[in-house]
Amino acid sequence: MEIKIVLLPIVTDDFEETVAFYRKITGKDVSLSAAHDGYQLSLVDHFVILGAVDGPEALEIPSLVNAIFVVDDLEAFWKILEKESKRIIIPVNRVSTGVRFIVEQKDGKVIEYLQLNDN
């Protein structure tokens, strides 16, 4: 059971410009693009840039998320956090990039736990 990487979500009203900005300051290209739940996302280095496709309400939950923990064994983390969290915001569900859940931890931080698809 390991947190492999921590990603910072960046919610924006100007998706393309924000992606270009993070590409410029990191010197990295987009390594992953996806869309689900009414929003699009691009991964640039350790930043997940999110922009609405269907309207601003699609970003309501992503705007709550303080960090994304990419993990190697989502089920193991779920067994702990389903009991140890202050609140479950989204239970385990499949998204285009893998399987995830979102919880508010006892410290008040909202964290998305994500196990990426095997590619």
Side-chain angles (χ1 to χ4, degrees):
M1 188 171 106
E2 177 185 4
I3 297 171
K4 296 166 65 173
I5 191 167
V6 177
L7 302 172
L8 181 63
I10 307 294
V11 177
T12 180
D13 292 332
D14 192 345
F15 184 76
E16 296 301 329
E17 186 172 310
T18 303
V19 170
F21 172 77
Y22 279 91
R23 287 183 64 213
K24 184 181 287 185
I25 65 168
T26 63
K28 307 282 182 167
D29 286 326
V30 172
S31 60
L32 175 81
S33 292
H36 53 260
D37 296 338
Y39 58 87
Q40 60 187 334
L41 65 89
S42 287
L43 177 62
V44 178
D45 199 27
H46 293 278
F47 302 97
V48 179
I49 297 102
L50 302 115
V53 175
D54 297 335
E57 62 280 349
L59 295 173
E60 186 176 310
I61 290 176
S63 294
L64 299 173
V65 175
N66 298 111
I68 301 163
F69 293 176
V70 178
V71 300
D72 64 344
D73 185 352
L74 191 80
E75 186 176 327
F77 282 94
W78 177 248
K79 284 180 182 178
I80 295 168
L81 291 158
E82 72 175 327
K83 296 177 185 116
E84 296 291 327
S85 294
K86 186 185 237 181
R87 167 172 71 121
I88 296 169
I89 296 171
I90 294 182
V92 175
N93 71 323
R94 178 157 290 285
V95 293
S96 59
T97 53
V99 181
R100 65 144 185 204
F101 63 86
I102 301 174
V103 295
E104 181 181 0
Q105 299 182 153
K106 288 183 179 180
D107 62 5
K109 296 297 181 196
V110 175
I111 306 295
E112 177 177 337
Y113 288 78
L114 171 67
Q115 184 172 342
L116 293 170
N117 292 326
D118 291 328
N119 289 332

